[in-house]
Every structure is written in structure tokens, then in C-alpha cells.
mmCIF file with all atom_site columns, all heavy atoms in Angstrom:
data_model
loop_
_atom_site.group_PDB
_atom_site.id
_atom_site.type_symbol
_atom_site.label_atom_id
_atom_site.label_alt_id
_atom_site.label_comp_id
_atom_site.label_asym_id
_atom_site.label_entity_id
_atom_site.label_seq_id
_atom_site.pdbx_PDB_ins_code
_atom_site.Cartn_x
_atom_site.Cartn_y
_atom_site.Cartn_z
_atom_site.occupancy
_atom_site.B_iso_or_equiv
_atom_site.pdbx_formal_charge
_atom_site.auth_seq_id
_atom_site.auth_comp_id
_atom_site.auth_asym_id
_atom_site.auth_atom_id
_atom_site.pdbx_PDB_model_num
ATOM 1   N N   . ASN A 1 1  ? 28.213 16.525  -7.573  1.00 88.00 ? 1  ASN A N   1
ATOM 2   C CA  . ASN A 1 1  ? 28.614 15.320  -6.849  1.00 88.00 ? 1  ASN A CA  1
ATOM 3   C C   . ASN A 1 1  ? 27.748 15.082  -5.621  1.00 88.00 ? 1  ASN A C   1
ATOM 4   O O   . ASN A 1 1  ? 27.236 13.970  -5.403  1.00 88.00 ? 1  ASN A O   1
ATOM 5   C CB  . ASN A 1 1  ? 30.085 15.423  -6.446  1.00 88.00 ? 1  ASN A CB  1
ATOM 6   C CG  . ASN A 1 1  ? 31.023 15.361  -7.633  1.00 88.00 ? 1  ASN A CG  1
ATOM 7   O OD1 . ASN A 1 1  ? 30.679 14.808  -8.677  1.00 88.00 ? 1  ASN A OD1 1
ATOM 8   N ND2 . ASN A 1 1  ? 32.194 15.937  -7.495  1.00 88.00 ? 1  ASN A ND2 1
ATOM 9   N N   . VAL A 1 2  ? 27.575 16.112  -4.799  1.00 92.00 ? 2  VAL A N   1
ATOM 10  C CA  . VAL A 1 2  ? 26.824 15.950  -3.561  1.00 92.00 ? 2  VAL A CA  1
ATOM 11  C C   . VAL A 1 2  ? 25.339 15.759  -3.851  1.00 92.00 ? 2  VAL A C   1
ATOM 12  O O   . VAL A 1 2  ? 24.684 14.868  -3.285  1.00 92.00 ? 2  VAL A O   1
ATOM 13  C CB  . VAL A 1 2  ? 27.020 17.184  -2.634  1.00 92.00 ? 2  VAL A CB  1
ATOM 14  C CG1 . VAL A 1 2  ? 26.159 17.044  -1.376  1.00 92.00 ? 2  VAL A CG1 1
ATOM 15  C CG2 . VAL A 1 2  ? 28.499 17.317  -2.256  1.00 92.00 ? 2  VAL A CG2 1
ATOM 16  N N   . SER A 1 3  ? 24.801 16.584  -4.728  1.00 91.00 ? 3  SER A N   1
ATOM 17  C CA  . SER A 1 3  ? 23.387 16.453  -5.092  1.00 91.00 ? 3  SER A CA  1
ATOM 18  C C   . SER A 1 3  ? 23.090 15.093  -5.715  1.00 91.00 ? 3  SER A C   1
ATOM 19  O O   . SER A 1 3  ? 22.077 14.455  -5.394  1.00 91.00 ? 3  SER A O   1
ATOM 20  C CB  . SER A 1 3  ? 23.002 17.566  -6.068  1.00 91.00 ? 3  SER A CB  1
ATOM 21  O OG  . SER A 1 3  ? 21.665 17.419  -6.513  1.00 91.00 ? 3  SER A OG  1
ATOM 22  N N   . GLY A 1 4  ? 23.985 14.638  -6.597  1.00 89.00 ? 4  GLY A N   1
ATOM 23  C CA  . GLY A 1 4  ? 23.806 13.344  -7.227  1.00 89.00 ? 4  GLY A CA  1
ATOM 24  C C   . GLY A 1 4  ? 23.839 12.199  -6.245  1.00 89.00 ? 4  GLY A C   1
ATOM 25  O O   . GLY A 1 4  ? 23.033 11.254  -6.334  1.00 89.00 ? 4  GLY A O   1
ATOM 26  N N   . LEU A 1 5  ? 24.741 12.285  -5.253  1.00 92.00 ? 5  LEU A N   1
ATOM 27  C CA  . LEU A 1 5  ? 24.842 11.240  -4.244  1.00 92.00 ? 5  LEU A CA  1
ATOM 28  C C   . LEU A 1 5  ? 23.589 11.168  -3.387  1.00 92.00 ? 5  LEU A C   1
ATOM 29  O O   . LEU A 1 5  ? 23.025 10.087  -3.151  1.00 92.00 ? 5  LEU A O   1
ATOM 30  C CB  . LEU A 1 5  ? 26.070 11.494  -3.367  1.00 92.00 ? 5  LEU A CB  1
ATOM 31  C CG  . LEU A 1 5  ? 26.327 10.483  -2.251  1.00 92.00 ? 5  LEU A CG  1
ATOM 32  C CD1 . LEU A 1 5  ? 26.595 9.102   -2.831  1.00 92.00 ? 5  LEU A CD1 1
ATOM 33  C CD2 . LEU A 1 5  ? 27.506 10.934  -1.390  1.00 92.00 ? 5  LEU A CD2 1
ATOM 34  N N   . LEU A 1 6  ? 23.115 12.321  -2.927  1.00 94.00 ? 6  LEU A N   1
ATOM 35  C CA  . LEU A 1 6  ? 21.918 12.361  -2.095  1.00 94.00 ? 6  LEU A CA  1
ATOM 36  C C   . LEU A 1 6  ? 20.680 11.911  -2.877  1.00 94.00 ? 6  LEU A C   1
ATOM 37  O O   . LEU A 1 6  ? 19.852 11.156  -2.360  1.00 94.00 ? 6  LEU A O   1
ATOM 38  C CB  . LEU A 1 6  ? 21.709 13.775  -1.553  1.00 94.00 ? 6  LEU A CB  1
ATOM 39  C CG  . LEU A 1 6  ? 22.772 14.328  -0.612  1.00 94.00 ? 6  LEU A CG  1
ATOM 40  C CD1 . LEU A 1 6  ? 22.447 15.759  -0.221  1.00 94.00 ? 6  LEU A CD1 1
ATOM 41  C CD2 . LEU A 1 6  ? 22.900 13.455  0.632   1.00 94.00 ? 6  LEU A CD2 1
ATOM 42  N N   . GLY A 1 7  ? 20.576 12.391  -4.127  1.00 92.00 ? 7  GLY A N   1
ATOM 43  C CA  . GLY A 1 7  ? 19.448 11.990  -4.957  1.00 92.00 ? 7  GLY A CA  1
ATOM 44  C C   . GLY A 1 7  ? 19.429 10.505  -5.251  1.00 92.00 ? 7  GLY A C   1
ATOM 45  O O   . GLY A 1 7  ? 18.368 9.862   -5.238  1.00 92.00 ? 7  GLY A O   1
ATOM 46  N N   . THR A 1 8  ? 20.613 9.935   -5.489  1.00 92.00 ? 8  THR A N   1
ATOM 47  C CA  . THR A 1 8  ? 20.706 8.501   -5.762  1.00 92.00 ? 8  THR A CA  1
ATOM 48  C C   . THR A 1 8  ? 20.300 7.669   -4.552  1.00 92.00 ? 8  THR A C   1
ATOM 49  O O   . THR A 1 8  ? 19.608 6.641   -4.671  1.00 92.00 ? 8  THR A O   1
ATOM 50  C CB  . THR A 1 8  ? 22.135 8.130   -6.179  1.00 92.00 ? 8  THR A CB  1
ATOM 51  O OG1 . THR A 1 8  ? 22.484 8.841   -7.363  1.00 92.00 ? 8  THR A OG1 1
ATOM 52  C CG2 . THR A 1 8  ? 22.255 6.626   -6.452  1.00 92.00 ? 8  THR A CG2 1
ATOM 53  N N   . ALA A 1 9  ? 20.693 8.134   -3.363  1.00 94.00 ? 9  ALA A N   1
ATOM 54  C CA  . ALA A 1 9  ? 20.319 7.433   -2.125  1.00 94.00 ? 9  ALA A CA  1
ATOM 55  C C   . ALA A 1 9  ? 18.800 7.446   -1.947  1.00 94.00 ? 9  ALA A C   1
ATOM 56  O O   . ALA A 1 9  ? 18.181 6.428   -1.605  1.00 94.00 ? 9  ALA A O   1
ATOM 57  C CB  . ALA A 1 9  ? 21.005 8.093   -0.933  1.00 94.00 ? 9  ALA A CB  1
ATOM 58  N N   . SER A 1 10 ? 18.192 8.612   -2.206  1.00 94.00 ? 10 SER A N   1
ATOM 59  C CA  . SER A 1 10 ? 16.737 8.719   -2.088  1.00 94.00 ? 10 SER A CA  1
ATOM 60  C C   . SER A 1 10 ? 16.044 7.846   -3.131  1.00 94.00 ? 10 SER A C   1
ATOM 61  O O   . SER A 1 10 ? 15.055 7.155   -2.827  1.00 94.00 ? 10 SER A O   1
ATOM 62  C CB  . SER A 1 10 ? 16.317 10.179  -2.271  1.00 94.00 ? 10 SER A CB  1
ATOM 63  O OG  . SER A 1 10 ? 14.932 10.346  -2.088  1.00 94.00 ? 10 SER A OG  1
ATOM 64  N N   . LEU A 1 11 ? 16.563 7.844   -4.347  1.00 92.00 ? 11 LEU A N   1
ATOM 65  C CA  . LEU A 1 11 ? 15.985 7.023   -5.403  1.00 92.00 ? 11 LEU A CA  1
ATOM 66  C C   . LEU A 1 11 ? 16.108 5.534   -5.078  1.00 92.00 ? 11 LEU A C   1
ATOM 67  O O   . LEU A 1 11 ? 15.224 4.743   -5.423  1.00 92.00 ? 11 LEU A O   1
ATOM 68  C CB  . LEU A 1 11 ? 16.676 7.317   -6.736  1.00 92.00 ? 11 LEU A CB  1
ATOM 69  C CG  . LEU A 1 11 ? 16.267 8.604   -7.452  1.00 92.00 ? 11 LEU A CG  1
ATOM 70  C CD1 . LEU A 1 11 ? 17.165 8.849   -8.649  1.00 92.00 ? 11 LEU A CD1 1
ATOM 71  C CD2 . LEU A 1 11 ? 14.803 8.545   -7.885  1.00 92.00 ? 11 LEU A CD2 1
ATOM 72  N N   . GLY A 1 12 ? 17.213 5.160   -4.427  1.00 93.00 ? 12 GLY A N   1
ATOM 73  C CA  . GLY A 1 12 ? 17.393 3.766   -4.069  1.00 93.00 ? 12 GLY A CA  1
ATOM 74  C C   . GLY A 1 12 ? 16.272 3.252   -3.173  1.00 93.00 ? 12 GLY A C   1
ATOM 75  O O   . GLY A 1 12 ? 15.760 2.133   -3.347  1.00 93.00 ? 12 GLY A O   1
ATOM 76  N N   . ILE A 1 13 ? 15.857 4.099   -2.224  1.00 94.00 ? 13 ILE A N   1
ATOM 77  C CA  . ILE A 1 13 ? 14.748 3.731   -1.334  1.00 94.00 ? 13 ILE A CA  1
ATOM 78  C C   . ILE A 1 13 ? 13.440 3.647   -2.122  1.00 94.00 ? 13 ILE A C   1
ATOM 79  O O   . ILE A 1 13 ? 12.627 2.740   -1.929  1.00 94.00 ? 13 ILE A O   1
ATOM 80  C CB  . ILE A 1 13 ? 14.620 4.749   -0.192  1.00 94.00 ? 13 ILE A CB  1
ATOM 81  C CG1 . ILE A 1 13 ? 15.915 4.815   0.626   1.00 94.00 ? 13 ILE A CG1 1
ATOM 82  C CG2 . ILE A 1 13 ? 13.440 4.374   0.718   1.00 94.00 ? 13 ILE A CG2 1
ATOM 83  C CD1 . ILE A 1 13 ? 15.932 5.907   1.669   1.00 94.00 ? 13 ILE A CD1 1
ATOM 84  N N   . ILE A 1 14 ? 13.262 4.590   -3.047  1.00 93.00 ? 14 ILE A N   1
ATOM 85  C CA  . ILE A 1 14 ? 12.062 4.599   -3.876  1.00 93.00 ? 14 ILE A CA  1
ATOM 86  C C   . ILE A 1 14 ? 12.024 3.369   -4.775  1.00 93.00 ? 14 ILE A C   1
ATOM 87  O O   . ILE A 1 14 ? 10.982 2.725   -4.951  1.00 93.00 ? 14 ILE A O   1
ATOM 88  C CB  . ILE A 1 14 ? 12.002 5.879   -4.730  1.00 93.00 ? 14 ILE A CB  1
ATOM 89  C CG1 . ILE A 1 14 ? 11.765 7.101   -3.832  1.00 93.00 ? 14 ILE A CG1 1
ATOM 90  C CG2 . ILE A 1 14 ? 10.895 5.782   -5.774  1.00 93.00 ? 14 ILE A CG2 1
ATOM 91  C CD1 . ILE A 1 14 ? 11.866 8.428   -4.549  1.00 93.00 ? 14 ILE A CD1 1
ATOM 92  N N   . PHE A 1 15 ? 13.185 2.997   -5.348  1.00 92.00 ? 15 PHE A N   1
ATOM 93  C CA  . PHE A 1 15 ? 13.269 1.804   -6.198  1.00 92.00 ? 15 PHE A CA  1
ATOM 94  C C   . PHE A 1 15 ? 12.782 0.564   -5.444  1.00 92.00 ? 15 PHE A C   1
ATOM 95  O O   . PHE A 1 15 ? 12.032 -0.253  -5.980  1.00 92.00 ? 15 PHE A O   1
ATOM 96  C CB  . PHE A 1 15 ? 14.706 1.563   -6.656  1.00 92.00 ? 15 PHE A CB  1
ATOM 97  C CG  . PHE A 1 15 ? 15.215 2.566   -7.653  1.00 92.00 ? 15 PHE A CG  1
ATOM 98  C CD1 . PHE A 1 15 ? 16.534 2.534   -8.041  1.00 92.00 ? 15 PHE A CD1 1
ATOM 99  C CD2 . PHE A 1 15 ? 14.387 3.531   -8.198  1.00 92.00 ? 15 PHE A CD2 1
ATOM 100 C CE1 . PHE A 1 15 ? 17.025 3.441   -8.961  1.00 92.00 ? 15 PHE A CE1 1
ATOM 101 C CE2 . PHE A 1 15 ? 14.851 4.450   -9.112  1.00 92.00 ? 15 PHE A CE2 1
ATOM 102 C CZ  . PHE A 1 15 ? 16.180 4.401   -9.505  1.00 92.00 ? 15 PHE A CZ  1
ATOM 103 N N   . TYR A 1 16 ? 13.250 0.447   -4.224  1.00 92.00 ? 16 TYR A N   1
ATOM 104 C CA  . TYR A 1 16 ? 12.909 -0.713  -3.395  1.00 92.00 ? 16 TYR A CA  1
ATOM 105 C C   . TYR A 1 16 ? 11.401 -0.820  -3.204  1.00 92.00 ? 16 TYR A C   1
ATOM 106 O O   . TYR A 1 16 ? 10.811 -1.902  -3.340  1.00 92.00 ? 16 TYR A O   1
ATOM 107 C CB  . TYR A 1 16 ? 13.608 -0.604  -2.044  1.00 92.00 ? 16 TYR A CB  1
ATOM 108 C CG  . TYR A 1 16 ? 13.178 -1.645  -1.025  1.00 92.00 ? 16 TYR A CG  1
ATOM 109 C CD1 . TYR A 1 16 ? 13.497 -2.993  -1.215  1.00 92.00 ? 16 TYR A CD1 1
ATOM 110 C CD2 . TYR A 1 16 ? 12.473 -1.266  0.106   1.00 92.00 ? 16 TYR A CD2 1
ATOM 111 C CE1 . TYR A 1 16 ? 13.097 -3.943  -0.286  1.00 92.00 ? 16 TYR A CE1 1
ATOM 112 C CE2 . TYR A 1 16 ? 12.067 -2.218  1.035   1.00 92.00 ? 16 TYR A CE2 1
ATOM 113 C CZ  . TYR A 1 16 ? 12.396 -3.539  0.827   1.00 92.00 ? 16 TYR A CZ  1
ATOM 114 O OH  . TYR A 1 16 ? 11.995 -4.480  1.761   1.00 92.00 ? 16 TYR A OH  1
ATOM 115 N N   . HIS A 1 17 ? 10.746 0.314   -2.936  1.00 91.00 ? 17 HIS A N   1
ATOM 116 C CA  . HIS A 1 17 ? 9.298  0.295   -2.701  1.00 91.00 ? 17 HIS A CA  1
ATOM 117 C C   . HIS A 1 17 ? 8.510  0.149   -4.000  1.00 91.00 ? 17 HIS A C   1
ATOM 118 O O   . HIS A 1 17 ? 7.428  -0.460  -4.010  1.00 91.00 ? 17 HIS A O   1
ATOM 119 C CB  . HIS A 1 17 ? 8.883  1.566   -1.956  1.00 91.00 ? 17 HIS A CB  1
ATOM 120 C CG  . HIS A 1 17 ? 9.292  1.571   -0.527  1.00 91.00 ? 17 HIS A CG  1
ATOM 121 N ND1 . HIS A 1 17 ? 10.556 1.923   -0.098  1.00 91.00 ? 17 HIS A ND1 1
ATOM 122 C CD2 . HIS A 1 17 ? 8.598  1.224   0.604   1.00 91.00 ? 17 HIS A CD2 1
ATOM 123 C CE1 . HIS A 1 17 ? 10.611 1.817   1.214   1.00 91.00 ? 17 HIS A CE1 1
ATOM 124 N NE2 . HIS A 1 17 ? 9.446  1.407   1.668   1.00 91.00 ? 17 HIS A NE2 1
ATOM 125 N N   . LEU A 1 18 ? 9.035  0.669   -5.105  1.00 90.00 ? 18 LEU A N   1
ATOM 126 C CA  . LEU A 1 18 ? 8.376  0.436   -6.390  1.00 90.00 ? 18 LEU A CA  1
ATOM 127 C C   . LEU A 1 18 ? 8.415  -1.045  -6.743  1.00 90.00 ? 18 LEU A C   1
ATOM 128 O O   . LEU A 1 18 ? 7.444  -1.614  -7.265  1.00 90.00 ? 18 LEU A O   1
ATOM 129 C CB  . LEU A 1 18 ? 9.079  1.242   -7.497  1.00 90.00 ? 18 LEU A CB  1
ATOM 130 C CG  . LEU A 1 18 ? 8.848  2.756   -7.495  1.00 90.00 ? 18 LEU A CG  1
ATOM 131 C CD1 . LEU A 1 18 ? 9.699  3.414   -8.555  1.00 90.00 ? 18 LEU A CD1 1
ATOM 132 C CD2 . LEU A 1 18 ? 7.368  3.084   -7.721  1.00 90.00 ? 18 LEU A CD2 1
ATOM 133 N N   . TRP A 1 19 ? 9.523  -1.690  -6.435  1.00 92.00 ? 19 TRP A N   1
ATOM 134 C CA  . TRP A 1 19 ? 9.660  -3.127  -6.677  1.00 92.00 ? 19 TRP A CA  1
ATOM 135 C C   . TRP A 1 19 ? 8.699  -3.912  -5.781  1.00 92.00 ? 19 TRP A C   1
ATOM 136 O O   . TRP A 1 19 ? 8.044  -4.863  -6.252  1.00 92.00 ? 19 TRP A O   1
ATOM 137 C CB  . TRP A 1 19 ? 11.100 -3.561  -6.417  1.00 92.00 ? 19 TRP A CB  1
ATOM 138 C CG  . TRP A 1 19 ? 11.314 -5.036  -6.560  1.00 92.00 ? 19 TRP A CG  1
ATOM 139 C CD1 . TRP A 1 19 ? 11.362 -5.763  -7.706  1.00 92.00 ? 19 TRP A CD1 1
ATOM 140 C CD2 . TRP A 1 19 ? 11.503 -5.974  -5.490  1.00 92.00 ? 19 TRP A CD2 1
ATOM 141 N NE1 . TRP A 1 19 ? 11.564 -7.092  -7.440  1.00 92.00 ? 19 TRP A NE1 1
ATOM 142 C CE2 . TRP A 1 19 ? 11.654 -7.257  -6.084  1.00 92.00 ? 19 TRP A CE2 1
ATOM 143 C CE3 . TRP A 1 19 ? 11.569 -5.859  -4.109  1.00 92.00 ? 19 TRP A CE3 1
ATOM 144 C CZ2 . TRP A 1 19 ? 11.864 -8.403  -5.327  1.00 92.00 ? 19 TRP A CZ2 1
ATOM 145 C CZ3 . TRP A 1 19 ? 11.766 -7.001  -3.335  1.00 92.00 ? 19 TRP A CZ3 1
ATOM 146 C CH2 . TRP A 1 19 ? 11.915 -8.254  -3.963  1.00 92.00 ? 19 TRP A CH2 1
ATOM 147 N N   . LEU A 1 20 ? 8.570  -3.529  -4.522  1.00 90.00 ? 20 LEU A N   1
ATOM 148 C CA  . LEU A 1 20 ? 7.659  -4.205  -3.609  1.00 90.00 ? 20 LEU A CA  1
ATOM 149 C C   . LEU A 1 20 ? 6.214  -4.106  -4.102  1.00 90.00 ? 20 LEU A C   1
ATOM 150 O O   . LEU A 1 20 ? 5.429  -5.054  -3.953  1.00 90.00 ? 20 LEU A O   1
ATOM 151 C CB  . LEU A 1 20 ? 7.766  -3.599  -2.210  1.00 90.00 ? 20 LEU A CB  1
ATOM 152 C CG  . LEU A 1 20 ? 8.993  -3.936  -1.377  1.00 90.00 ? 20 LEU A CG  1
ATOM 153 C CD1 . LEU A 1 20 ? 8.917  -3.232  -0.019  1.00 90.00 ? 20 LEU A CD1 1
ATOM 154 C CD2 . LEU A 1 20 ? 9.160  -5.442  -1.187  1.00 90.00 ? 20 LEU A CD2 1
ATOM 155 N N   . GLN A 1 21 ? 5.875  -2.979  -4.690  1.00 86.00 ? 21 GLN A N   1
ATOM 156 C CA  . GLN A 1 21 ? 4.504  -2.763  -5.159  1.00 86.00 ? 21 GLN A CA  1
ATOM 157 C C   . GLN A 1 21 ? 4.321  -3.147  -6.627  1.00 86.00 ? 21 GLN A C   1
ATOM 158 O O   . GLN A 1 21 ? 3.293  -2.872  -7.226  1.00 86.00 ? 21 GLN A O   1
ATOM 159 C CB  . GLN A 1 21 ? 4.099  -1.303  -4.932  1.00 86.00 ? 21 GLN A CB  1
ATOM 160 C CG  . GLN A 1 21 ? 4.156  -0.916  -3.453  1.00 86.00 ? 21 GLN A CG  1
ATOM 161 C CD  . GLN A 1 21 ? 3.281  0.274   -3.126  1.00 86.00 ? 21 GLN A CD  1
ATOM 162 O OE1 . GLN A 1 21 ? 2.361  0.619   -3.873  1.00 86.00 ? 21 GLN A OE1 1
ATOM 163 N NE2 . GLN A 1 21 ? 3.541  0.893   -1.998  1.00 86.00 ? 21 GLN A NE2 1
ATOM 164 N N   . LYS A 1 22 ? 5.350  -3.785  -7.194  1.00 87.00 ? 22 LYS A N   1
ATOM 165 C CA  . LYS A 1 22 ? 5.289  -4.304  -8.559  1.00 87.00 ? 22 LYS A CA  1
ATOM 166 C C   . LYS A 1 22 ? 5.016  -3.210  -9.593  1.00 87.00 ? 22 LYS A C   1
ATOM 167 O O   . LYS A 1 22 ? 4.368  -3.451  -10.611 1.00 87.00 ? 22 LYS A O   1
ATOM 168 C CB  . LYS A 1 22 ? 4.250  -5.414  -8.665  1.00 87.00 ? 22 LYS A CB  1
ATOM 169 C CG  . LYS A 1 22 ? 4.556  -6.618  -7.774  1.00 87.00 ? 22 LYS A CG  1
ATOM 170 C CD  . LYS A 1 22 ? 3.518  -7.720  -7.937  1.00 87.00 ? 22 LYS A CD  1
ATOM 171 C CE  . LYS A 1 22 ? 3.852  -8.910  -7.042  1.00 87.00 ? 22 LYS A CE  1
ATOM 172 N NZ  . LYS A 1 22 ? 2.854  -10.007 -7.181  1.00 87.00 ? 22 LYS A NZ  1
ATOM 173 N N   . GLU A 1 23 ? 5.531  -2.028  -9.321  1.00 87.00 ? 23 GLU A N   1
ATOM 174 C CA  . GLU A 1 23 ? 5.439  -0.917  -10.272 1.00 87.00 ? 23 GLU A CA  1
ATOM 175 C C   . GLU A 1 23 ? 6.669  -0.985  -11.181 1.00 87.00 ? 23 GLU A C   1
ATOM 176 O O   . GLU A 1 23 ? 7.538  -0.106  -11.149 1.00 87.00 ? 23 GLU A O   1
ATOM 177 C CB  . GLU A 1 23 ? 5.351  0.415   -9.535  1.00 87.00 ? 23 GLU A CB  1
ATOM 178 C CG  . GLU A 1 23 ? 3.981  0.709   -8.980  1.00 87.00 ? 23 GLU A CG  1
ATOM 179 C CD  . GLU A 1 23 ? 2.935  0.834   -10.084 1.00 87.00 ? 23 GLU A CD  1
ATOM 180 O OE1 . GLU A 1 23 ? 3.251  1.409   -11.125 1.00 87.00 ? 23 GLU A OE1 1
ATOM 181 O OE2 . GLU A 1 23 ? 1.809  0.349   -9.877  1.00 87.00 ? 23 GLU A OE2 1
ATOM 182 N N   . TYR A 1 24 ? 6.728  -2.007  -11.991 1.00 89.00 ? 24 TYR A N   1
ATOM 183 C CA  . TYR A 1 24 ? 7.933  -2.298  -12.747 1.00 89.00 ? 24 TYR A CA  1
ATOM 184 C C   . TYR A 1 24 ? 8.208  -1.268  -13.844 1.00 89.00 ? 24 TYR A C   1
ATOM 185 O O   . TYR A 1 24 ? 9.367  -0.985  -14.131 1.00 89.00 ? 24 TYR A O   1
ATOM 186 C CB  . TYR A 1 24 ? 7.841  -3.701  -13.356 1.00 89.00 ? 24 TYR A CB  1
ATOM 187 C CG  . TYR A 1 24 ? 7.713  -4.791  -12.315 1.00 89.00 ? 24 TYR A CG  1
ATOM 188 C CD1 . TYR A 1 24 ? 6.678  -5.728  -12.374 1.00 89.00 ? 24 TYR A CD1 1
ATOM 189 C CD2 . TYR A 1 24 ? 8.605  -4.879  -11.248 1.00 89.00 ? 24 TYR A CD2 1
ATOM 190 C CE1 . TYR A 1 24 ? 6.540  -6.725  -11.415 1.00 89.00 ? 24 TYR A CE1 1
ATOM 191 C CE2 . TYR A 1 24 ? 8.483  -5.863  -10.286 1.00 89.00 ? 24 TYR A CE2 1
ATOM 192 C CZ  . TYR A 1 24 ? 7.462  -6.785  -10.380 1.00 89.00 ? 24 TYR A CZ  1
ATOM 193 O OH  . TYR A 1 24 ? 7.327  -7.761  -9.421  1.00 89.00 ? 24 TYR A OH  1
ATOM 194 N N   . TYR A 1 25 ? 7.172  -0.709  -14.443 1.00 89.00 ? 25 TYR A N   1
ATOM 195 C CA  . TYR A 1 25 ? 7.394  0.267   -15.501 1.00 89.00 ? 25 TYR A CA  1
ATOM 196 C C   . TYR A 1 25 ? 8.072  1.521   -14.949 1.00 89.00 ? 25 TYR A C   1
ATOM 197 O O   . TYR A 1 25 ? 9.063  2.018   -15.508 1.00 89.00 ? 25 TYR A O   1
ATOM 198 C CB  . TYR A 1 25 ? 6.066  0.644   -16.163 1.00 89.00 ? 25 TYR A CB  1
ATOM 199 C CG  . TYR A 1 25 ? 6.227  1.674   -17.265 1.00 89.00 ? 25 TYR A CG  1
ATOM 200 C CD1 . TYR A 1 25 ? 6.758  1.319   -18.495 1.00 89.00 ? 25 TYR A CD1 1
ATOM 201 C CD2 . TYR A 1 25 ? 5.859  3.001   -17.055 1.00 89.00 ? 25 TYR A CD2 1
ATOM 202 C CE1 . TYR A 1 25 ? 6.923  2.251   -19.508 1.00 89.00 ? 25 TYR A CE1 1
ATOM 203 C CE2 . TYR A 1 25 ? 6.012  3.942   -18.059 1.00 89.00 ? 25 TYR A CE2 1
ATOM 204 C CZ  . TYR A 1 25 ? 6.548  3.570   -19.286 1.00 89.00 ? 25 TYR A CZ  1
ATOM 205 O OH  . TYR A 1 25 ? 6.709  4.499   -20.256 1.00 89.00 ? 25 TYR A OH  1
#
């Protein structure tokens, strides 16, 4: 639960920057 929550939060930030850089794949 805790690891998943922290990992998801970190991934959320990564998702945002991948979208900004058009790394859609």
C-alpha cells in the first residue's frame, strides 16, 4: 500500500513531463 502510493505519486510527475516532451509511447 505505502510503496504503491509513493511510486504512483512519483510516476504521476514523470507522466506529466513525458506528456510535455511528447514521449507518448
Side-chain angles (χ1 to χ4, degrees):
N1 292 335
V2 177
S3 176
L5 180 62
L6 295 178
T8 300
S10 183
L11 283 172
I13 301 173
I14 292 173
F15 290 174
Y16 172 68
H17 287 82
L18 287 175
W19 177 73
L20 285 180
Q21 300 203 19
K22 299 182 179 180
E23 282 297 320
Y24 299 127
Y25 179 75

